[in-house]
Each structure stands twice: as C-alpha cells, then as structure tokens.
Amino acid sequence: MHQSLLIFLYFFFAIQSLNLPILLPISPIAEIEICVLESPVAANEKNIDDTPNEQPSKGSGLFGWMKEAMPGKAILAKVAEKARSSVDTMITTLDPQMKEFIYSGGDIDIAVASTKELKVSSVREAFQTVFGKATVKGYESQSVGTAAQPVGFASALQAARERIANLRSSGTVPPQQPVVSVEGFVVELFSDNWFEMNCLLLEDPVRNISVQVFSQPLMVPANAVARMRNCTTDSYPLRQSGFAVTVGQAVAEEFNVPATEWQMALTGISRRDILLLAAKTLANSYKS
C-alpha cells in the first residue's frame, strides 16, 4: 500500500505540469480504487456513473488507468521524462557533485589541457548545459615556450596551443580527441590600463574545427602591474611573451588576498563565473 501511494505521488507531480486528468485515491485497500476528475468539456461528452458499490475493472489501478487514459507512448514518454528530470534536479540539489555523473556520457567527449578543477569544472558545466550530456576530463599539460604570465592576445593563444600540442604529443589522449585549453593573460587595452582576460581554445582534428573565445576583461591594479614588471628581469628568457610572475601572485602580495581568488576579492566576480560564461560561448560555437 505504501509503495503504491509513493508511486502515485511520484507521477502526480509529473503529470500535473502536463495538464492531464488527475487521479485521487478514495479507498485505502490493497488494490487502489480511483475516481477521475474531468474537465467540464469532458463531463458534457459523457455521463459519469457514481455508483459507490461499483467494483474496479480488470484494468483499474494507477498504471492500468494510465494505459487507458493516455493511449500511445508519446504522453507516457513525457511523463517519464518529467519524472526523471525532477529526480535529477532533486539529486543534484542535495549533492551538487552528482551532476558530473548524471550528465556525463553522450556523444561529446572533451579533454581539458589542465588538471585545475576551476578550469575543468567550468568547461564541464558549460558543455553539459549546451549539449545535455558530455564527458569532460582534465589532463596535466603545460606551455613551455611562453612566459609564466602571458601578455597580449597572441601570447595567450600561443600558450593555449602549446598546452594542446604537449598533451597530444605525450600520448595521454587519442590523436582524434577534441581538446580545450584555457589560458589566462593580461593585456594593456588602454594606456596604463591593464586587464586580465582568458583565452579558451578548442581544437577538434576529426571535424577540422578550431574555435577560440575570450572572456570579459577585469582591470588589474596598477601596483600589481608594477610588481610583475619589477619581478621580470632582463635575463628572463621568456620576457618577450610576458612576465615572470602571474597576475594572481602579484595581486596576492600587494593586497594580501588568495592568488586564485583575487577576482572575487577585488571585483566581486569569481574567475569560475567568468570562465563558465566564456566556456558556454565556446560550447555553443562548437555546436553550431
């Protein structure tokens, strides 16, 4: 009895949003007796026999009624999908980490040229949002020919390409594997006005696709820029492509904030939110 009632309540909320007739149990016996609440239009089309002693037919019960009241598989499929979506939402709300497992799979398999959870989780959520299901995993990869803190769009794109090339050459991923690289950089957009941005590059050799997007800019404090310059000596071998210390390190030393969370501390916007928006743009561009 309790199991039948739970099943009834489960489908009650699922079919309610579809504006279907709703069943109400009227007897707490082992085999549930039901009555059908119908709209005025349906009531005018036929007379309802309200005899209280009428015994339930062979097809009575919740699932028996559903087969009779909802012919075909289309509506049942909608009910099942609505119920599944509701359960998925409940599970991911109670345990957000389950989202990775529920929405993994499908035809989209993406490798991220980094093991930093900030980058991997942003790309994963973006592709699962756009494609419904996607498998996204991170792999360690570094850019060896670019400065620790790339400066300018060209240096950022070069560093992103190096990460992908190093990941492929290591044999960690198959040659045909689509790979996403995320590279943070700073750029002087106006005179003495420096900004941090992120370059997201996706390369798919099978479809011969290369897509690149850039995140929104965040202003970098002038004293942090001065520190990056002072720490980059003339003997630094990668000086032409950028600074020897990252913007996160410079801001952390100047303002005593975490190097990986300075964006939130100074601007109120987390880097993950910034990467997520850019990654969604990347995923939509890849999909189209």
Side-chain angles (χ1 to χ4, degrees), residues 8 28 38 44 57 61 69 78 86 105 110 115 123 125 130 134 138 141 156 158 185 217 248 259 267 271 273:
F8 168 77
E38 300 190 64
N44 292 333
S57 62
K78 290 182 179 180
S86 300
I110 301 294
T115 54
V123 175
E125 181 175 344
V130 173
S141 182
Q158 177 185 345
F185 66 100
T267 68
R271 190 187 182 201
D273 289 340

Side-chain angles (χ1 to χ4, degrees), residues 20-273:
L20 298 175
I22 300 175
L23 300 178
L24 295 176
I26 61 175
S27 177
I29 60 176
E31 187 174 1
I32 299 178
E33 297 179 4
I34 59 174
C35 65
V36 180
L37 301 182
E38 300 190 64
S39 64
V41 176
N44 292 333
E45 294 179 355
K46 67 176 182 177
N47 295 324
I48 301 177
D49 186 3
D50 294 328
T51 305
N53 295 326
E54 182 179 356
Q55 296 297 324
S57 62
K58 183 178 180 180
S60 64
L62 178 60
F63 292 102
W65 174 85
M66 290 180 65
K67 292 180 180 179
E68 296 176 2
M70 296 181 290
K73 298 181 179 180
I75 299 180
L76 286 174
K78 290 182 179 180
V79 173
E81 177 62 24
K82 183 68 176 179
R84 185 193 65 80
S85 177
S86 300
V87 172
D88 289 351
T89 301
M90 178 186 67
I91 293 175
T92 55
T93 300
L94 296 176
D95 187 0
Q97 293 182 348
M98 286 296 295
K99 184 181 295 184
E100 174 184 350
F101 300 97
I102 292 177
Y103 297 109
S104 292
D107 298 329
I108 304 301
D109 187 359
I110 301 294
V112 180
S114 175
T115 54
K116 293 182 178 179
E117 183 60 23
L118 180 69
K119 296 181 179 180
V120 178
S121 64
S122 300
V123 175
R124 178 185 296 118
E125 181 175 344
F127 275 79
Q128 289 178 347
T129 299
V130 173
F131 290 95
K133 282 184 175 293
T135 300
V136 179
K137 296 181 180 179
Y139 302 89
E140 180 62 32
S141 182
Q142 299 292 335
S143 59
V144 295
T146 311
Q149 179 58 74
V151 174
F153 292 90
S155 295
L157 187 57
Q158 177 185 345
R161 286 172 175 164
E162 287 179 358
R163 288 181 183 271
I164 295 178
N166 291 338
L167 183 60
R168 294 194 189 281
S169 63
S170 67
T172 306
V173 298
Q176 69 276 14
Q177 174 73 51
V179 180
V180 172
S181 180
V182 181
E183 191 67 44
F185 66 100
V186 294
V187 58
E188 187 179 17
L189 296 179
F190 309 101
S191 178
D192 295 328
N193 285 271
W194 288 76
F195 297 83
E196 185 208 40
M197 298 181 66
N198 297 275
C199 172
L200 284 75
L201 173 66
L202 185 151
E203 291 187 353
D204 184 345
V206 174
R207 299 173 61 185
N208 194 25
I209 292 177
S210 179
V211 183
Q212 60 191 30
V213 299
F214 296 91
S215 71
Q216 71 180 72
L218 287 183
M219 179 168 282
V220 179
N223 47 351
V225 176
R227 179 176 286 273
M228 287 189 290
R229 281 175 171 163
N230 294 333
C231 293
T232 306
T233 63
D234 294 338
S235 60
Y236 182 57
L238 302 176
R239 180 183 177 87
Q240 291 185 345
S241 61
F243 298 127
V245 297
T246 66
V247 61
Q249 292 173 320
V251 174
E253 294 174 359
E254 288 291 331
F255 295 92
N256 194 27
V257 296
T260 57
E261 300 177 4
W262 72 267
Q263 296 90 343
M264 174 62 76
L266 270 61
T267 68
I269 302 176
S270 68
R271 190 187 182 201
R272 189 185 188 281
D273 289 340

